[in-house]
């Protein structure tokens, strides 16, 4: 069954983002390979970094550490008789290894990298996070090269990545296509939650025409293959920021499919 929404489904962001990120990158790669072979190679990569997250952030995973501390405190061998006061138990921010997939497009003859396609993750948009600092550092390095950058933001949550001009007040999602030969300017595709995801150009070598990436088609394929029609809990609170009018529209769109959303 297809998604009840015409474009990006924010319930994926809220409930299934990590797996979806990898699945969508893989589907994007397959669609580009079909257009670009054998002149270009489309190579999925992983950016790996350590995210030190505060408790309550989605990437925080300290269940094992908490259980070990609790078992030591409750154990007679912990040495409580030697203490002057009883300790309280606190939770520390823990470093967690994060992997973010992205795509690299290379010429098969020279192995030259011509384009990088990034699908932003929640940590890239979380203010003050290690993931945001790491991504911005890589972004800055890339913009100093002759490599094209396609940056896709399918997330409602978090802070937008920095631009000189502000996006429209009606923008929920956006894509930047930053061609090496036109920097510092970039092509901006922006659209609201209620609309389909636009097709996006992927720049290549100067002598070749752009590839065209059908992101909406890729999303629909992933949605169906992953079984999101029954795996997503549309009856749960979304927990993401919505512009005025989007909450009512979202509830109506889901209700028309016999689902429910809070």
């Amino acid at each position: 069954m297809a998604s009840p929404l015409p474009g990006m489904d924010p319930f994926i962001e809220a409930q299934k983002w990590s797996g979806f990120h990898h699945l969508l990158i893989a589907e994007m790669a397959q669609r580009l390979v079909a257009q670009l072979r054998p002149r270009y190679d489309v190579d999925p990569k992983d950016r790996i970094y350590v995210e030190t997250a505060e408790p309550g952030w989605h990437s925080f995973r300290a269940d094992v550490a908490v259980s070990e501390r609790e078992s030591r405190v409750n154990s007679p061998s912990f040495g409580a008789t030697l203490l002057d006061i009883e300790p309280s138990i606190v939770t520390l921010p823990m470093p967690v290894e994060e992997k973010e997939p992205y795509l690299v497009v290379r010429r098969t003859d020279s192995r030259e990298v011509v384009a990088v396609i990034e699908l932003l993750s929640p940590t890239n948009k979380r203010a003050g996070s290690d993931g945001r600092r790491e991504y911005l550092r890589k972004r800055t390095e890339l913009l100093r090269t002759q490599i094209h950058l396609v940056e896709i933001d399918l997330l409602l949550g978090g802070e937008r990545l920095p631009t000189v001009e502000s996006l429209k007040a009606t923008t929920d999602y956006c894509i930047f296509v930053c061609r090496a030969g036109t920097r510092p300017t970039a092509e901006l595709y922006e659209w609201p939650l209620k609309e389909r995801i636009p097709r996006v150009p992927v720049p290549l070598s100067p002598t070749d025409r752009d590839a065209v990436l059908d992101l909406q088609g890729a999303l629909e394929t992933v949605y169906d293959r992953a079984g999101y029609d029954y795996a997503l809990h549309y009856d749960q609170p979304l927990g993401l920021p919505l512009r005025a009018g989007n909450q009512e529209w979202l509830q109506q769109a889901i209700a028309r499919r016999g689902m429910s959303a809070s």
Side-chain angles (χ1 to χ4, degrees), residues 145-252:
T145 72
Q146 291 302 303
I147 300 171
H148 309 301
L149 171 64
V150 178
E151 194 172 76
I152 304 168
D153 185 354
L154 298 182
L155 298 165
L156 292 179
E159 286 188 9
R160 300 283 182 202
L161 265 63
T163 55
V164 175
E165 298 87 0
S166 300
L167 274 62
K168 297 176 183 176
T170 56
T171 296
D172 291 311
Y173 303 111
C174 64
I175 298 171
F176 293 99
V177 178
C178 190
R179 301 174 187 269
T182 63
R183 289 174 186 147
T185 62
E187 299 157 25
L188 169 62
Y189 300 81
E190 50 188 327
W191 68 100
L193 173 65
K194 302 176 184 180
E195 295 182 3
R196 292 172 60 85
I197 304 172
R199 296 193 302 165
V200 59
V202 177
L204 302 169
S205 295
T207 55
D208 291 329
R209 292 188 300 178
D210 295 348
V212 178
L213 184 55
D214 181 6
L215 278 172
Q216 183 66 49
L219 168 65
E220 291 170 356
T221 297
V222 170
Y223 189 98
D224 180 62
R225 288 178 179 170
Y228 287 151
D229 58 310
Y230 63 85
L232 291 174
H233 298 282
Y234 288 99
D235 58 339
Q236 297 296 314
L238 183 60
L240 293 170
L242 290 173
R243 290 188 298 104
N246 276 349
Q247 178 67 55
E248 182 180 358
W249 174 86
L250 187 62
Q251 291 177 326
Q252 292 174 352

Side-chain angles (χ1 to χ4, degrees), residues 11-23:
F11 284 87
I12 296 176
E13 175 185 349
Q15 300 175 17
K16 297 285 186 180
W17 182 262
S18 180
F20 171 76
H21 196 159
H22 287 82
L23 291 173

Side-chain angles (χ1 to χ4, degrees), residues 80-153:
T81 57
L82 302 178
L83 299 177
D84 296 322
I85 61 173
E86 287 295 322
S88 58
I89 304 301
V90 298
T91 305
L92 304 179
M94 293 293 292
V96 178
E97 184 178 86
E98 296 283 353
K99 293 183 179 181
E100 293 175 351
Y102 62 99
L103 293 177
V104 173
V105 180
R106 300 176 185 269
R107 291 179 59 106
T108 51
D109 53 2
S110 64
R111 304 305 298 160
E112 174 192 5
V113 176
V114 297
V116 170
I117 305 173
E118 294 277 3
L119 178 61
L120 298 185
S121 71
T123 54
N124 300 151
K125 297 183 65 179
R126 177 180 166 230
S129 71
D130 297 315
R132 186 177 179 88
R133 284 190 291 270
E134 176 66 13
Y135 180 78
L136 288 175
R137 183 181 69 82
K138 292 291 186 181
R139 186 198 206 207
T140 299
E141 291 178 358
L142 186 60
L143 292 177
R144 291 173 176 165
T145 72
Q146 291 302 303
I147 300 171
H148 309 301
L149 171 64
V150 178
E151 194 172 76
I152 304 168
D153 185 354

